[in-house]
Amino acid sequence: MTTTSNPLRDPRDKRLPRVAGPCVLVLFGVTGDLSRKKLLPAIYDLANRGLLPPGFSLVGFARRDWDHQDFRQIAYESVKEHARTPFREDVWTHLSEGMHFVPGEFGDPGAFDALAMAVKELDESRGTGGNYAFYLSIPPKFFPKVVEQLRRSGLADRSDGEWRRVVIEKPFGHDLASAQDLNDTVHRVFPEESIFRIDHYLGKETVQNILALRFANSMFEPIWNRSFVDHVQITMAEDIGIGGRAGYYDGIGAARDVIQNHLLQLLALTAMEEPTSFAAEAVRAEKAKILSSVRVRGDLSQSTARGQYASGWQGGVKVEGYLEEDGIPADSRTETYAAIKLEIDNRRWAGVPFYLRTGKRLSRRVTEVAMVFQKAPHLPFSHTDTEELGQNALVMRVQPDEGITVRFGSKVPGTSMEIRDVNMDFAYGESFTESSPEAYERLLLDVLIGDPPLFPRQEEVELSWKILDPIEEYWAGQGGLDQYKSGGYGPDSADELMARDGRTWRRL
Ligand code: BG6
């Protein structure tokens, strides 16, 4: 027998579509916001792209008196409203045939026995192979109950050749101790390799592109260090308020909500050393190394700032302040804006500040990582020629205008030597015809395939809390909390933090 070697048939060829094998996805908390806006649409988008197996089955579990048909209807509405790819009747019909609903309380043994029966039946009727992913899209306080019921009902036990995976969403605790408790709870039933912790920023194309930019090119790495970089600004600004999430958000605040996870992950990818490969362990090891070198220096009143949005105008609409939002106590001290200055104690970054800021109800939605470079050591121009020359910058635009900008000085056309900042742009939309998948499409597919590099491991979670805990403690005690106008740029204290270092934030 002769074999022909066709490189396109090589299973290691990354250009081949990665398709999940037979499995059931059990979604706990299927009535929640995340399910409706992100998870159900992402499942449809995966089906539409042909990345789910033919017998793929989705079981919704929630405290609702629904039957399969009610569940399918809710899923249909959320797909119609939020899916990224066009609606196709044939795809929907096929997908919805595999959708089942099991009603029940999170601690109810009877409901979990019914769930166990339901997935067994799916194995038989749809060939799902005894492979189950349990997605806990529920508040962490319910984790112990659900995990215990998965154990008791035998759902967590697998036979040879089958797999079990459990997916948990941030917040992974609210401090180091609670993160460790939560981890112990899940570990009592599932081994580490079965646990997939979702930080959806890692599923974003532009976030993964930080690694491509740094490690697939030769021109950036030589300047990616303290000899050339003056400082780094990591911004996640949102124009929305807390919406209907008062119950989750109050008492948590901006730093726990997004700095502990999304922003520190962005910092880790930006600052880490080259991993030996893109295998999960290699990437996670480099991220953990960098997170363990992060320090908050000096007086926290000088290196942190926080604020709460007051009423204001946003997009021509008058909006209420945080304290007037439904469900927020009138004396709440929860921050909706946080800025912190961090340093990284290693040879590459010693002395280079990393400024992180995030806030709700700011003038604009923008997430970016900006490397701001040192000024040229000498300028052979007159002072007036370079009055409008700032610092060179390389900006990785995560969203919404995905791309990369390089800012540098250029001669203004004319007879004199006047130099001004200009931008050179790469925009995803212009260079690639296909649109980027949503973060949850990528991450759900990775869970079903069992591909872990984009999921933080527990060590990263704990290291991030070690960075944040002292700051939270300081804020809980004496830290100030300024009001800032909705639709503006954040509290004055954040500008003062930068001004103390002779710097300014990039304009939103
Ligand atoms: C979530 C936070 O993790 O990220 C929210 O809990 C925030 O408060 C959201 O609004 C932002 O996500 P994205 O993908 O829109 O930037």
Side-chain angles (χ1 to χ4, degrees):
M1 193 177 76
T2 55
T3 54
T4 48
S5 104
N6 176 352
L8 288 177
R9 292 263 167 82
D10 183 340
R12 290 164 305 178
D13 188 333
K14 295 284 191 283
R15 293 166 298 185
L16 285 177
R18 299 154 69 239
V19 181
C23 60
V24 181
L25 175 63
V26 181
L27 198 48
F28 292 94
V30 79
T31 54
D33 233 36
L34 185 73
S35 285
R36 281 188 304 106
K37 293 197 179 136
K38 300 285 182 189
L39 303 179
L40 293 167
I43 291 165
Y44 168 81
D45 288 324
L46 288 174
N48 204 4
R49 292 163 63 204
L51 303 180
L52 297 181
F56 173 78
S57 303
L58 174 69
V59 178
F61 184 105
R63 292 168 293 182
R64 290 289 164 100
D65 191 16
W66 285 353
D67 59 18
H68 300 326
Q69 212 38 53
D70 296 325
F71 174 43
R72 288 172 191 167
Q73 182 59 28
I74 296 293
Y76 174 80
E77 284 159 19
S78 88
V79 165
K80 277 289 218 178
E81 195 176 347
H82 300 290
R84 178 180 67 87
T85 59
F87 187 80
R88 281 175 40 201
E89 203 64 51
D90 55 330
V91 172
W92 170 253
T93 306
H94 185 74
L95 181 67
S96 63
E97 279 164 5
M99 289 188 176
H100 295 255
F101 187 73
V102 176
E105 298 283 332
F106 294 136
D108 175 8
F112 279 76
D113 290 342
L115 177 63
M117 294 242 306
V119 294
K120 278 253 142 37
E121 274 167 31
L122 290 170
D123 285 343
E124 306 218 327
S125 60
R126 297 181 59 84
T128 42
N131 299 317
Y132 312 142
F134 305 108
Y135 197 124
L136 311 193
S137 179
I138 54 178
K141 65 177 180 210
F142 295 119
F143 284 12
K145 280 186 177 168
V146 170
V147 167
E148 167 52 21
Q149 286 303 326
L150 290 174
R151 186 199 61 74
R152 190 207 52 79
S153 60
L155 275 162
D157 302 334
R158 60 177 191 92
S159 306
D160 277 354
E162 298 176 353
W163 53 255
R164 299 287 181 275
R165 288 173 197 140
V166 63
V167 185
I168 55 180
E169 271 281 344
K170 61 158 271 277
F172 310 117
H174 52 87
D175 58 12
L176 177 60
S178 57
Q180 287 168 335
D181 283 351
L182 193 82
N183 192 47
D184 290 345
T185 300
V186 183
H187 266 277
R188 277 200 281 277
V189 178
F190 293 97
E192 178 64 20
E193 65 272 15
S194 306
I195 304 174
F196 287 71
R197 297 176 187 82
I198 290 213
D199 179 320
H200 79 280
Y201 264 59
L202 296 178
K204 290 182 190 272
E205 289 283 323
T206 40
V207 172
Q208 292 160 44
N209 197 35
I210 296 175
L211 297 182
L213 177 92
R214 292 193 55 201
F215 301 126
N217 299 300
S218 61
M219 59 198 255
F220 304 115
E221 204 51 24
I223 55 170
W224 213 262
N225 55 52
R226 67 188 304 274
S227 306
F228 295 90
V229 176
D230 176 68
H231 71 280
V232 179
Q233 296 189 20
I234 304 183
T235 299
M236 175 183 170
E238 295 187 280
D239 50 5
I240 53 170
I242 55 154
R245 298 164 79 220
Y248 157 72
Y249 199 86
D250 197 56
I252 291 286
R256 288 189 176 104
D257 184 37
V258 300
I259 292 186
Q260 186 270 343
N261 35 77
H262 307 329
L263 267 60
L264 285 176
Q265 286 289 329
L266 287 176
L267 174 145
L269 296 176
T270 304
M272 73 186 211
E273 296 301 315
E274 181 181 294
T276 49
S277 74
F278 283 105
E281 278 322 298
V283 176
R284 289 160 158 182
E286 291 306 334
K287 282 197 287 170
K289 245 163 71 188
I290 206 83
L291 289 171
S292 58
S293 311
V294 170
R295 305 278 178 270
V296 192
R297 284 256 148 64
D299 180 352
L300 290 178
S301 69
Q302 306 294 297
S303 53
T304 71
R306 59 181 206 142
Q308 201 177 58
Y309 61 80
S311 59
W313 287 87
Q314 204 145 31
V317 178
K318 176 119 180 75
V319 292
E320 292 187 323
Y322 180 72
L323 297 178
E324 286 100 53
E325 298 272 15
D326 275 353
I328 300 297
D331 60 351
S332 170
R333 306 234 341 125
T334 299
E335 86 280 357
T336 59
Y337 181 106
I340 54 182
K341 172 184 171 184
L342 300 172
E343 289 186 31
I344 298 178
D345 273 0
N346 67 13
R347 180 174 282 248
R348 186 190 284 266
W349 295 117
V352 177
F354 281 66
Y355 299 97
L356 276 49
R357 66 175 158 163
T358 183
K360 294 209 182 273
R361 281 240 192 279
L362 297 175
S363 61
R364 199 161 92 74
R365 173 176 184 244
V366 57
T367 299
E368 62 172 38
V369 178
M371 314 292 291
V372 182
F373 292 92
Q374 294 166 14
K375 292 200 165 123
H378 169 70
L379 289 172
F381 307 97
S382 77
H383 172 65
T384 51
D385 294 346
T386 54
E387 251 175 355
E388 294 193 49
L389 174 65
Q391 282 167 274
N392 295 166
L394 187 148
V395 184
M396 294 169 275
R397 305 193 312 263
V398 173
Q399 62 190 27
D401 180 18
E402 290 91 355
I404 292 169
T405 300
V406 177
R407 187 182 66 190
F408 58 97
S410 172
K411 182 181 176 311
V412 178
T415 48
S416 63
M417 178 55 92
E418 188 191 342
I419 295 168
R420 196 184 291 166
D421 285 333
V422 292
N423 285 335
M424 192 162 74
D425 260 359
F426 149 67
Y428 268 80
E430 283 170 19
S431 298
F432 300 108
T433 47
E434 62 267 54
S435 67
S436 297
E438 280 283 328
Y440 279 99
E441 282 173 68
R442 172 67 198 264
L443 296 176
L444 275 166
L445 184 64
D446 283 4
V447 168
L448 301 181
I449 290 177
D451 204 9
L454 297 181
F455 300 85
R457 71 175 176 200
Q458 178 66 12
E459 186 183 2
E460 293 163 58
V461 172
E462 294 189 10
L463 287 166
S464 303
W465 282 122
K466 280 186 189 158
I467 297 167
L468 208 60
D469 275 0
I471 299 174
E472 290 288 352
E473 213 169 286
Y474 164 73
W475 283 344
Q478 42 176 315
L481 179 71
D482 305 344
Q483 297 279 310
Y484 61 94
K485 260 208 174 74
S486 283
Y489 301 103
D492 293 345
S493 54
D495 294 338
E496 287 154 15
L497 182 159
M498 286 300 247
R500 278 191 288 275
D501 291 351
R503 300 186 172 106
T504 51
W505 292 108
R506 285 172 47 79
R507 274 181 72 87
L508 287 180

